[in-house]
Amino acid sequence: MVRGRSMAFVGDSVGRNQMQSMICLLSRVEYPIDVSPTSDEHFKRWEYVNYNFTLAYFTTPFLVRSKERDSDGPTHTGLFNLYLDEFDESWTTQIDDFDYVILNAGHWFTRTAVYYENRRVVGCRYCQLPNITDLPMTYGYRRVFRTAFRAINGREKFRGVTFLRTFAPSHFENGLWNEGGDCVRRRPFRSNETILEGLNLEFYMIQLEEFRVAERVGKKKFRLLDTTQAMLLRPDGHPSRYGHWPNENVTLYNDCVHWCLPGPIDSWADFLLHMIKMEARKTYKERLLQSGKKMQ
């Protein structure tokens, strides 16, 4: 189905996680070769030679132009300048030739940041800087998706399909990620044991609202790859403290954001496959309709 096609994952490390899942699943058929144009691990490209299928990954955790302002910051997790209305050209200028673009962002928005619009500071998220208004993180989150969709809608040569992969909640319990929180459950939640609420719900609703606006104002193909509810039910699917090789002498936070491989994230490939099938059927019907009109 993807012979002669190309697919780009654009976003944060959970997007990379999804791509790694897909590479693992496809390894039953073929291993790709690394054809990355640079040694930068933030921008990778693989090719499946026998299928002429290309996978690429563009690291852009905020989707818009950003810069680290302070490597420490008030919460010791870095303070970032986010230019909410400016494109991150490291990916926006690279997508024209891709057939499928899978867009995601989320977990980095809990970090402290200074928000810029029209090159001026408009506020911040817990930056603790004098004379700067504190804004909710949802302020920045909404605007980066608006800007990312505007960038895609503005790419004249881009003819592909953009899938918005919705926010996948983390599952820290008994503390925040940097305060000893962990995820040690061994079975999924039942549907009556948890609900989508708080920040998870806000992020999800913002994505849906901005997605609908992008669909309405543009002429590009946008599709919703909705993983949120499915992943909310899988607190058992994260690496926790096992997110590195056993022989590595490293001190890491418990990882309750990314997903084990194999693991629940592999289901995203099933969702995506179904959607690509639906897309192929729709394109086929459109071509039939067009050829019928030409013959009349």
Side-chain angles (χ1 to χ4, degrees):
M1 285 186 64
V2 293
R3 188 183 295 277
R5 301 291 180 101
S6 55
M7 179 180 291
F9 293 86
V10 175
D12 60 22
S13 54
V14 180
R16 183 182 66 211
N17 198 178
Q18 181 183 5
M19 185 193 64
Q20 290 166 337
S21 161
M22 185 169 287
I23 289 174
C24 289
L25 292 168
L26 294 178
S27 69
R28 289 176 289 184
V29 177
E30 185 178 347
Y31 286 96
I33 60 169
D34 189 335
V35 292
S36 304
T38 169
S39 60
D40 189 344
E41 289 294 317
H42 295 99
F43 304 96
K44 299 292 290 183
R45 193 176 291 238
W46 287 271
E47 187 176 340
Y48 289 83
V49 177
N50 292 323
Y51 292 87
N52 188 26
F53 174 54
T54 302
L55 275 182
Y57 171 67
F58 297 92
T59 302
T60 172
F62 296 113
L63 296 180
V64 296
R65 188 167 84 84
S66 62
K67 182 180 180 182
E68 190 171 56
R69 184 182 182 122
D70 180 348
S71 60
D72 189 31
T75 59
H76 312 296
T77 57
L79 176 63
F80 297 86
N81 288 344
L82 300 191
Y83 303 91
L84 301 177
D85 53 355
E86 295 184 40
F87 302 159
D88 178 355
E89 294 187 349
S90 70
W91 70 269
T92 60
T93 60
Q94 302 296 313
I95 62 170
D96 286 354
D97 295 329
F98 282 91
D99 297 288
Y100 310 107
V101 171
I102 300 164
L103 197 69
N104 88 95
H107 295 286
W108 280 66
F109 288 84
T110 59
R111 300 186 183 215
T112 57
V114 178
Y115 298 146
Y116 287 77
E117 290 179 275
N118 296 317
R119 300 291 175 96
R120 292 172 50 219
V121 174
V122 294
C124 76
R125 145 83 179 137
Y126 197 69
C127 63
Q128 304 285 284
L129 295 174
N131 303 319
I132 299 182
T133 304
D134 200 50
L135 295 170
M137 68 183 82
T138 51
Y139 180 92
Y141 195 65
R142 180 178 297 281
R143 280 156 182 77
V144 301
F145 274 102
R146 191 171 296 173
T147 300
F149 287 136
R150 180 164 54 85
I152 293 168
N153 271 325
R155 299 302 299 179
E156 287 185 15
K157 294 182 179 178
F158 177 60
R159 298 283 184 268
V161 181
T162 301
F163 295 92
L164 171 61
R165 199 270 296 154
T166 63
F167 185 66
S170 59
H171 293 92
F172 290 99
E173 296 187 75
N174 301 315
L176 299 175
W177 67 274
N178 56 348
E179 296 174 359
D182 205 352
C183 40
V184 295
R185 292 179 184 266
R186 297 190 176 192
R187 67 164 181 83
F189 284 129
R190 295 186 175 90
S191 59
N192 64 351
E193 289 179 324
T194 187
I195 59 170
L196 192 64
E197 60 184 348
L199 188 63
N200 289 336
L201 178 60
E202 287 185 82
F203 274 10
Y204 178 66
M205 293 308 298
I206 286 171
Q207 285 185 314
L208 260 56
E209 289 160 10
E210 293 304 318
F211 173 83
R212 298 301 178 207
V213 171
E215 265 191 323
R216 193 169 62 246
V217 302
K219 294 183 178 179
K220 304 298 184 186
K221 295 178 181 177
F222 292 103
R223 305 289 182 259
L224 195 68
L225 179 57
D226 194 333
T227 59
T228 303
Q229 183 63 30
M231 304 316 283
L232 178 68
L233 300 178
R234 295 306 305 267
D236 57 318
H238 300 285
S240 180
R241 63 189 178 91
Y242 300 100
H244 58 86
W245 296 110
N247 59 338
E248 281 186 296
N249 185 21
V250 292
T251 302
L252 296 172
Y253 296 112
N254 297 321
D255 187 350
C256 304
V257 170
H258 301 95
W259 303 91
C260 296
L261 297 177
I265 197 172
D266 293 331
S267 64
W268 298 5
D270 293 326
F271 301 162
L272 188 58
L273 175 64
H274 176 74
M275 294 183 76
I276 290 173
K277 281 181 182 177
M278 297 294 286
E279 208 58 43
R281 286 174 187 163
K282 185 180 288 187
T283 303
Y284 178 68
K285 287 178 181 177
E286 286 172 356
R287 285 176 182 167
L288 277 180
L289 200 63
Q290 286 173 356
S291 62
K293 286 179 179 177
K294 287 177 182 177
M295 291 174 68
Q296 286 176 355

